[in-house]
Amino acid sequence: MPPVKTPQPFQFDEKVAAVFPDMIKRSVPGYNDIILQIQKLAGRFIKANSHAYDLGCSLGAASLAMSYGNQQHDVEIIGIDNSAAMLKQCQRNIDKFKLTTPISLQQEDILRVQFKSISMLVLNYTLQFIQPEQRLGLLNNIFDAMLPGAILLISEKIHFRDPKINQLMIELHHQFKRDNGYSELEISQKRSALEKVLLAETRDKHLQRLKEVGFNQVVCWHQQINFASFIAIKD
Ligand code: GEK
């Protein structure tokens, strides 16, 4: 048997970009449902003459969903990611479609973006990679650039305060991955690689921070095992 390599910290490089669409569907419970709902929400919330952002766009699934869902004129979808490998593959994906609402891609750290006239913003499994102490500042920046009635959607892996429940959810998630063809070794290597880069918080922490930012309408609208999705609407 070949020696087992020590896992390196997780990086969004070319190797990950190549297998990403398959990997995220097989490892994130509820992923497809959320992408479908992003399309529906885009139809309801995106306004004419505004911007819709997809932060940490990876291969562009949420950007494409917003482009397809949008019903308004003069809308720009902006996909942002700091991984050149992801964006290269993302541009190839987008080029395969004939889009009526254009998607433009930017390679940037989402902590440095100057947001403008937002009617919809998606952070689909991306906030979890931002240092916890920087999350409030990022959400404040987003809130300030949101138009009245705009929507923010955040999907995250979550943590549970009760240790037994937390352990149970981790095990159910690992079972989900095994059922989708991952081996024990792949699961444990991914777990150690992500340990320091993916910093999960509780569902209450997410809801409380969104209220602190200034959102009055906040809901956890989807949860499957230890993956949750939140919606916040600006008054
Ligand atoms: C999807 N939203 O398919 N600035 C910009 N991009 C970043 C940063 C940062 N500071 N940190 C991480 N990323 C996608 C899935 S994946 C989730 C999102 C996952 C990027 C990173 O390069 C990667 O492409 C993405 O955030 C997270 O709906 O892999 O679990």
Side-chain angles (χ1 to χ4, degrees):
M1 273 229 301
V4 174
K5 284 196 224 136
T6 335
Q8 298 298 309
F10 191 78
Q11 277 187 344
F12 291 101
D13 56 15
E14 268 165 37
K15 268 190 275 169
V16 171
V19 295
F20 191 78
D22 176 59
M23 184 180 89
I24 196 156
K25 276 181 220 150
R26 290 196 297 137
S27 54
V28 176
Y31 179 80
N32 284 341
D33 294 344
I34 285 169
I35 294 293
L36 184 66
Q37 291 307 324
I38 288 173
Q39 181 178 341
K40 309 279 176 212
L41 289 166
R44 284 174 175 256
F45 283 89
I46 295 181
K47 289 205 176 78
N49 302 302
S50 76
H51 298 93
Y53 288 88
D54 178 10
L55 305 187
C57 61
S58 298
L59 301 189
S63 298
L64 284 165
M66 289 194 284
S67 175
Y68 270 92
N70 173 47
Q71 315 276 327
Q72 303 297 326
H73 61 88
D74 293 307
V75 170
E76 189 184 8
I77 316 281
I78 304 173
I80 301 177
D81 207 291
N82 61 358
S83 158
M86 283 287 191
L87 285 182
K88 202 166 138 197
Q89 189 59 43
C90 185
Q91 189 64 59
R92 283 199 208 119
N93 279 354
I94 288 171
D95 291 344
K96 288 183 205 149
F97 297 89
K98 273 205 157 45
L99 302 173
T100 42
T101 307
I103 300 174
S104 59
L105 300 180
Q106 292 175 14
Q107 188 183 349
E108 213 171 344
D109 184 336
I110 57 171
L111 295 170
R112 295 176 185 278
V113 179
Q114 297 250 312
F115 300 103
K116 38 187 190 200
S117 50
I118 304 171
S119 58
M120 179 164 185
L121 187 142
V122 171
L123 273 158
N124 210 30
Y125 312 102
T126 301
L127 192 64
Q128 59 195 14
F129 294 108
I130 300 298
Q131 286 303 314
E133 63 278 9
Q134 295 184 304
R135 295 179 187 179
L136 180 65
L138 171 63
L139 295 181
N140 278 329
N141 275 349
I142 292 170
F143 183 83
D144 290 346
M146 284 172 79
L147 299 166
I151 186 167
L152 165 65
L153 182 143
I154 302 179
S155 309
E156 292 275 286
K157 184 174 195 178
I158 56 166
H159 170 82
F160 298 81
R161 215 167 280 127
D162 183 293
K164 282 200 178 131
I165 297 285
N166 197 52
Q167 190 52 34
L168 175 62
M169 295 302 142
I170 289 171
E171 286 169 23
L172 290 179
H173 178 224
H174 288 175
Q175 183 64 53
F176 173 90
K177 289 174 81 169
R178 274 195 296 276
D179 293 346
N180 282 302
Y182 278 105
S183 68
E184 273 324 318
L185 180 64
E186 284 171 311
I187 293 171
S188 74
Q189 287 194 334
K190 178 88 190 279
R191 185 163 191 202
S192 348
L194 279 176
E195 220 151 60
K196 291 199 180 66
V197 283
L198 194 166
L199 303 162
E201 295 172 312
T202 63
R203 168 182 162 142
D204 288 350
K205 173 72 200 176
H206 283 287
L207 292 169
Q208 169 261 314
R209 185 170 44 222
L210 287 166
K211 292 208 173 114
E212 190 182 338
V213 166
F215 291 103
N216 294 322
Q217 299 156 63
V218 171
V219 67
C220 175
W221 67 282
H222 187 284
Q223 189 186 321
Q224 205 169 323
I225 319 180
N226 47 356
F227 288 80
S229 190
F230 307 90
I231 278 172
I233 299 164
K234 187 165 174 176
D235 288 336

